[in-house]
Amino acid sequence: MKDSSISDEFYPEGGLNTASYDLRADLDRKIFEDPIPFYTRLATSLAHENGVLELGCGTGRISAAIAKLGIKVEGLDLSPAMLGQARANYPDLTWHLGNMCDFDLGRQFDLVIIPFRGLQEVTEATDQRRALERAFAHLKPGGAIALDLMDPDLRYCLPEGDPEHVELPIFPMPDGVGQPGSRLRITAMERTNDPLTQKFSEHWRFEEISDQGDVITREDCWHHLRWVHRSEMRLMLELSGFVSISEFSDFEGNPPKYASNQVWMAKRPD
């Protein structure tokens, strides 16, 4: 993937990466904070007749959780493979294939959300700003945006990157994928950093392994992201027209904290 602001190749059609996304997301929620209650609470309190728009909806897990509460919700994502899973898992919801930096759905919403660090998948600073402007345009007057990001720990943003390999716990193979009895091994390989542009690339390896530990299938993917500093994020929101900007270090509303999460809320003026 040369530029995830424009195209998505990290989640290939029919790949082990795409098929295992929900398994990894479940592990992430157990190890770190679970963002789903935060976004469902916001939807319950802020979404009325105009509903919710999720940008970077992926396989649709958060949109589905909001829909279970009886709230209207639509999702938009750049990846056909991920949207294919969303449509298969939640066929009654509305899904849009599109780029969050350049889309027009022709309507406005009460709440726009960009969960799971989705804005960092946009790897150009100008495009991150464009995504916020498109979110603003799709909010009704007085509507709100909410998103979360990683707050960069600068020790890990140095030019030398990180050569360490980290193997995740062995997963069962996703339903309908692989040979009988095989399992899934996922390894976070090396990471490279470009401090000048604040971009980093993570090399991920996905392997179907037999009961004897032999590799049946191997898939290598590179995930390109961009880190955003808190002061930069606030400025982008202000320049995009947002007001009443609030920032937190977690999904419980605690004050900002270095090298923690960035959780942001802001409003379109009434």
Side-chain angles (χ1 to χ4, degrees), residues 146-165:
L147 66 150
D148 63 269
L149 307 169
M150 295 179 290
D151 192 47
D153 185 331
L154 297 182
R155 294 175 297 172
Y156 304 106
C157 299
L158 299 174
E160 55 264 32
D162 185 357
E164 184 179 359
H165 295 183

Side-chain angles (χ1 to χ4, degrees), residues 16-17 19-21 23-25 27 165-172 174 183-189 203-209 219:
L16 294 174
N17 180 5
S20 65
Y21 177 84
L23 295 175
R24 304 198 313 276
L27 177 63
H165 295 183
V166 178
E167 188 173 313
L168 276 60
I170 297 294
F171 291 93
R183 295 169 298 160
L184 178 64
R185 180 168 64 199
I186 302 175
T187 307
M189 309 290 282
H203 174 193
W204 288 82
R205 175 165 290 169
F206 302 83
E207 297 171 305
E208 179 186 357
I209 56 174
E219 177 183 311

Side-chain angles (χ1 to χ4, degrees), residues 210-224:
S210 68
D211 288 338
Q212 291 75 36
D214 298 321
V215 176
I216 301 171
T217 305
R218 173 174 291 166
E219 177 183 311
D220 286 285
C221 300
W222 281 262
H223 198 192
H224 305 295

Side-chain angles (χ1 to χ4, degrees), residues 49-168:
E49 66 276 4
N50 293 333
V52 179
L53 173 63
E54 181 184 0
L55 300 180
C57 62
T59 59
R61 295 151 52 88
I62 290 186
S63 286
I66 291 171
K68 286 182 180 178
L69 302 174
I71 299 168
K72 292 187 296 185
V73 59
E74 300 181 19
L76 180 141
D77 201 277
L78 186 63
S79 168
M82 297 290 270
L83 273 187
Q85 291 208 30
R87 289 177 173 134
N89 294 335
Y90 313 107
D92 295 334
L93 300 186
T94 300
W95 307 108
H96 304 277
L97 178 64
N99 186 337
M100 71 170 74
C101 308
D102 184 17
F103 72 99
D104 185 356
L105 301 183
R107 54 168 302 212
Q108 294 179 320
F109 298 82
D110 298 304
L111 174 66
V112 173
I113 61 174
I114 315 177
F116 283 122
R117 305 174 288 274
L119 188 66
Q120 291 185 255
E121 307 237 9
V122 176
T123 55
E124 299 293 333
T126 52
D127 285 343
Q128 289 179 336
R129 167 86 178 276
R130 289 172 59 211
L132 294 174
E133 291 171 346
R134 297 316 302 154
F136 184 94
H138 283 78
L139 282 171
K140 72 174 187 180
I145 187 174
L147 66 150
D148 63 269
L149 307 169
M150 295 179 290
D151 192 47
D153 185 331
L154 297 182
R155 294 175 297 172
Y156 304 106
C157 299
L158 299 174
E160 55 264 32
D162 185 357
E164 184 179 359
H165 295 183
V166 178
E167 188 173 313
L168 276 60

